[in-house]
Amino acid sequence: MSDSETSPLLHQRKLPLLQKFSYSVGHVLNDLTASMWFTYMIIYFHQVKNFDNGLSGNLVLIGQVSDAIFTPLIGYESDKVRGCGNMGKRKTWHFIGTLCVLLSFPFLFIGCITCDNAEDVPQFIYYVPFVVIFQFGWAATQISHLALINDLTENEHERTGLNGYRNAFTVLSNVVVYGIAWAIFELKHSVSTSNDLSAADHDKFKLLVLIVVGVGLVFSVIFLIGVKERPHPCHEDEPTNSESQDLNSLEKSTLKKMAMTWTCWLREHQFYQVAVIYMATRLLVNVSQVYLPMYITETIKMDKQSIAIVPLIVYVSGFVTSLAMEHVNRYAGRKMTYVLGLGFCVGASIVFYLLPEGSRLVYLAAVLSGIGGSTILVTSLAMTSDLIKDNNESGAFVYGAMSFTDKLSNGVVIVIIQQLHPCAVIMFKEIRGCCPLCKEYYRQIMTFVPGGCAILAFIFLLTLLPQKLGMRRKQARILQPVLAAQTSRYGSHESTEPTRRDSHLVNDRIVEDPKESSGDLDSGSSESEPKNYLLPVGV
């Protein structure tokens, strides 16, 4: 058995294939732009724009801090608003975010329109507003798209599947970016006789960003047309009129109390445990993505075409892995699947550390990194979905809070790495690229930062082993009066487990007695099932 509970409801509400596809491509624009942001932002400003390391890192830090601030606020507002017209509240925020990304991100790679030959500081000031607008739009799209999963289906296996398909298109988006980049660098290779990046490669990045934004726009339109968001009542913690007729006062009170506000989440220890695991996961994946091109060009001295080929291998292997994640999570469980992913990530870090110059074993490290990164990313998102369960009234806030830890930690770590750069003391315009100390510096970054993140994630995963994801202290406290009332209603001489036919509750769900669900369900036997009770929606 997996961490998620089993019930007849899991076999209901199957989403149509077209709906699944339309949802899966809704994050493609974000994925394409994020791929360029994390993979090419540092190397573009460092080796093409000739920015010093400090300014390059500060630009990324501003973006990550902006994103970290926006995500919980957007999540909170996304849970409260009703949406624009017939789009629904999640799709409304998705539309707003898409517009912001389209109107800001291209300006980061097409050069400063009025100050392309100016000093670094004026150009830095020029780029900052575009970075902030882009990060606001990116956050709005990401949070609304993630929160939509729990709104579309209650089936936990389908939620895991949607996370897997979403990640598959994330990987495909990265493959598209690296494939296009490889084609551009290869086809235009004859223009430049140098194998190193320089200011002469500016037009290649400009062409790449325009293609990326155009492709992303097409898939965003498919999402907005193809996904049918279910309408949300004004107050999701209250039952509908038809439900209220069938609920007694105790059950109505229970339904209302079971709703989770943002302050309720802050009092749940699992909220923080899952947040640290998610943060460590994203930090591991993103830092590897940011510094892989620098590692390729400066540490193992491969030509500039390799900054597209090697990441391409990472994401092709990650794409194949994503397709199997629903089945792996179903049979191995969340926690064991995550441990397997961490094993691949640690293996990749070890190979990166041992590689000599020009070694083709970098492709092996790329495959291990792709498999491990996709596994832990999909599984950490599934853990977040399990944490939210049926509390969709605050799902966007939870995803926003998780993203807050991700973005803030990424920004801080990247700026620290840039400030500690061994060549950052003096960087004159005529001295382009890295000094000889870069070789070992990027080797250490690609080894010890992901490795440290893996250790941190594993420690917090151990704290989750004796717990069941989604079982909250608030839930256990509130359920006791309902269980006692149901026992009393059906009589002490009869079974305390009423049948669905006899119960007058609507939209019943079978859940485990909170007293008996403290164990880890990754290794359980179907022969010994816990006692079940019928409880109202929202439990």
Side-chain angles (χ1 to χ4, degrees):
M1 292 176 64
S2 65
D3 287 333
S4 54
E5 63 193 43
T6 58
S7 79
L9 186 64
L10 295 182
H11 303 291
Q12 302 173 6
R13 304 193 63 84
K14 292 289 185 180
L15 291 176
L17 255 170
L18 181 60
Q19 183 93 327
K20 290 182 180 180
F21 172 77
S22 299
Y23 172 81
S24 301
V25 302
H27 205 251
V28 166
L29 176 61
N30 263 23
D31 294 329
L32 293 170
T33 53
S35 179
M36 286 199 66
W37 170 267
F38 284 114
T39 306
Y40 295 131
M41 188 75 170
I42 293 292
I43 199 169
Y44 171 77
F45 277 91
H46 185 200
Q47 295 191 359
V48 177
K49 295 291 294 181
N50 286 325
F51 268 45
D52 65 58
N53 292 285
L55 284 180
S56 300
N58 288 336
L59 202 58
V60 174
L61 177 63
I62 289 173
Q64 296 302 109
V65 171
S66 300
D67 200 345
I69 294 172
F70 291 140
T71 44
L73 298 178
I74 291 172
Y76 178 81
E77 289 299 322
S78 177
D79 288 327
K80 296 300 179 184
V81 301
R82 297 191 62 183
C84 180
N86 296 323
M87 279 201 298
K89 60 184 183 181
R90 309 300 188 199
K91 288 175 64 177
T92 296
W93 277 99
H94 187 284
F95 178 73
I96 294 171
T98 299
L99 284 180
C100 291
V101 171
L102 291 173
L103 296 177
S104 59
F105 186 72
F107 291 96
L108 299 179
F109 288 92
I110 63 176
C112 182
I113 297 176
T114 58
C115 56
D116 214 22
N117 296 318
E119 296 296 320
D120 288 353
V121 174
Q123 292 194 60
F124 177 84
I125 295 172
Y126 169 85
Y127 285 114
V128 166
F130 292 113
V131 168
V132 174
I133 295 171
F134 164 64
Q135 293 294 349
F136 171 82
W138 204 96
T141 303
Q142 181 203 29
I143 299 307
S144 58
H145 193 254
L146 283 170
L148 193 55
I149 292 179
N150 285 48
D151 291 343
L152 289 177
T153 178
E154 293 92 351
N155 187 315
E156 295 184 7
H157 295 317
E158 285 219 321
R159 288 177 179 177
T160 304
L162 288 177
N163 271 314
Y165 304 145
R166 179 184 185 273
N167 190 68
F169 277 95
T170 296
V171 174
L172 276 178
S173 300
N174 282 274
V175 170
V176 168
V177 170
Y178 300 134
I180 295 172
W182 174 78
I184 290 174
F185 280 107
E186 186 67 27
L187 293 175
K188 295 195 172 187
H189 180 62
S190 58
V191 177
S192 173
T193 57
S194 174
N195 282 325
D196 299 325
L197 283 172
S198 66
D201 295 305
H202 173 267
D203 288 340
K204 299 175 185 177
F205 285 97
K206 180 178 179 180
L207 177 60
L208 177 62
V209 74
L210 294 177
I211 295 174
V212 159
V213 170
V215 173
L217 174 60
V218 172
F219 285 105
S220 294
V221 172
I222 293 174
F223 166 81
L224 291 171
I225 295 175
V227 172
K228 307 301 179 186
E229 183 178 354
R230 287 187 291 171
H232 297 265
C234 295
H235 302 285
E236 296 194 51
D237 57 344
E238 297 179 0
T240 62
N241 291 334
S242 61
E243 292 173 345
S244 62
Q245 295 174 359
D246 290 328
L247 299 178
N248 60 33
S249 59
L250 174 60
E251 290 159 348
K252 288 179 184 178
S253 175
T254 302
L255 281 173
K256 188 171 183 178
K257 289 179 180 178
M258 286 305 300
M260 294 287 291
T261 64
W262 68 274
T263 55
C264 295
W265 286 114
L266 296 180
R267 292 194 290 268
E268 294 292 337
H269 58 83
Q270 279 193 8
F271 177 79
Y272 298 99
Q273 291 169 299
V274 174
V276 173
I277 291 174
Y278 182 81
M279 177 193 72
T281 299
R282 296 304 305 232
L283 191 58
L284 188 158
V285 173
N286 290 341
V287 169
S288 299
Q289 186 177 9
V290 169
Y291 289 100
L292 182 57
M294 302 299 292
Y295 173 85
I296 292 168
T297 57
E298 302 298 335
T299 301
I300 59 174
K301 304 295 183 181
M302 300 184 77
D303 56 36
K304 62 185 178 183
Q305 284 83 358
S306 297
I307 69 171
I309 297 173
V310 177
L312 185 63
I313 294 173
V314 172
Y315 285 98
V316 167
S317 58
F319 170 71
V320 175
T321 304
S322 296
L323 298 179
M325 277 300 98
E326 179 179 0
H327 304 290
V328 175
N329 272 269
R330 184 192 299 264
Y331 295 110
R334 299 273 189 262
K335 297 161 189 174
M336 182 55 66
T337 302
Y338 194 88
V339 170
L340 291 173
L342 287 179
F344 281 102
C345 292
V346 171
S349 296
I350 293 173
V351 176
F352 280 129
Y353 184 78
L354 298 175
L355 288 182
E357 286 189 17
S359 175
R360 298 298 175 181
L361 285 177
V362 68
Y363 301 130
L364 171 62
V367 171
L368 294 175
S369 180
I371 295 174
S374 284
T375 300
I376 63 175
L377 190 54
V378 172
T379 307
S380 65
L381 286 171
M383 286 180 179
T384 307
S385 181
D386 290 343
L387 176 69
I388 296 170
K389 295 190 74 173
D390 297 319
N391 290 113
N392 299 335
E393 71 279 353
S394 54
F397 169 78
V398 175
Y399 282 114
M402 300 296 159
S403 189
F404 170 82
T405 63
D406 153 34
K407 301 305 190 304
L408 189 61
S409 62
N410 273 278
V412 170
V413 169
I414 288 175
V415 80
I416 290 175
I417 292 173
Q418 290 301 110
Q419 293 294 339
L420 294 178
H421 197 284
C423 311
V425 180
I426 298 177
M427 200 58 135
F428 296 106
K429 284 289 183 178
E430 61 269 22
I431 304 178
R432 182 182 55 78
C434 286
C435 63
L437 296 176
C438 286
K439 178 178 178 179
E440 291 306 314
Y441 185 69
Y442 289 120
R443 185 189 302 278
Q444 294 169 5
I445 296 301
M446 288 297 294
T447 300
F448 297 116
V449 177
C453 293
I455 293 172
L456 177 64
F458 182 72
I459 291 172
F460 274 82
L461 186 67
L462 290 177
T463 67
L464 279 177
L465 284 181
Q467 306 174 44
K468 178 184 175 184
L469 282 169
M471 183 56 67
R472 297 184 269 278
R473 289 180 297 175
K474 176 179 180 179
Q475 184 183 50
R477 184 178 67 253
I478 293 174
L479 292 186
Q480 298 306 318
V482 179
L483 296 175
Q486 287 184 338
T487 302
S488 175
R489 178 187 309 157
Y490 288 93
S492 57
H493 299 292
E494 298 180 7
S495 170
T496 58
E497 187 177 334
T499 62
R500 186 175 298 275
R501 179 186 46 137
D502 294 332
S503 176
H504 73 281
L505 298 180
V506 295
N507 295 330
D508 292 328
R509 291 183 58 238
I510 300 177
V511 302
E512 297 176 359
D513 182 350
K515 292 181 179 180
E516 302 181 18
S517 52
S518 60
D520 179 28
L521 297 185
D522 274 339
S523 56
S525 172
S526 59
E527 297 177 3
S528 177
E529 294 296 336
K531 188 174 183 179
N532 295 320
Y533 293 88
L534 285 173
L535 299 173
V537 173
V539 175

